[in-house]
Amino acid sequence: MTGAAAGPGGPEGEHGDHEGYSGPAVLLIGDREVPVEVDLRGFFQPIDGRYHWYGRIAADPLVTELVAAGARTAGLRTPTGTATGSLGDEDPWGRYRVAGTGAPPFPTA
């Protein structure tokens, strides 16, 4: 969903167009490759001059196990790219937040 505009009241509504990706990905933690589903978005932040990307990894028992074992940094590979991000806490639906700065794992304009 490249170029989707954030609606009013969106978390980064003041940044205009947001780029992103929703679909299959692979979470890379150590020597593990875990197939996951992701919903990712991102924007260029002119204040720090960097691209910020973020999103959610769909609930997955193996991801929960790896995070519980201490994984907090992981690679994320989509069909169009790979990037390293930080894994956040689990939300009430069993999803984990992932976020990074720099080139995202999806194409940008």
Side-chain angles (χ1 to χ4, degrees):
M1 179 171 216
T2 301
E12 276 78 42
E14 70 276 11
H15 297 293
D17 286 346
H18 291 254
E19 300 164 312
Y21 170 79
S22 291
V26 176
L27 193 62
L28 309 166
I29 299 176
D31 61 349
R32 305 285 300 263
E33 293 192 8
V34 182
V36 294
E37 289 288 322
V38 296
D39 186 22
L40 306 171
R41 300 287 176 264
F43 62 94
F44 177 76
Q45 173 56 263
I47 292 172
D48 66 8
R50 299 173 75 181
Y51 193 88
H52 293 255
W53 60 271
Y54 58 93
R56 293 278 177 193
I57 299 169
D60 183 285
L62 184 52
V63 174
T64 299
E65 179 184 318
L66 292 168
V67 172
R72 288 296 174 173
T73 301
L76 187 61
R77 183 174 64 222
T78 69
T80 58
T82 302
T84 300
S86 299
L87 299 172
D89 292 330
E90 184 178 19
D91 71 11
W93 300 274
R95 303 172 305 171
Y96 284 89
R97 183 164 173 86
V98 61
T101 53
F106 53 85
T108 61

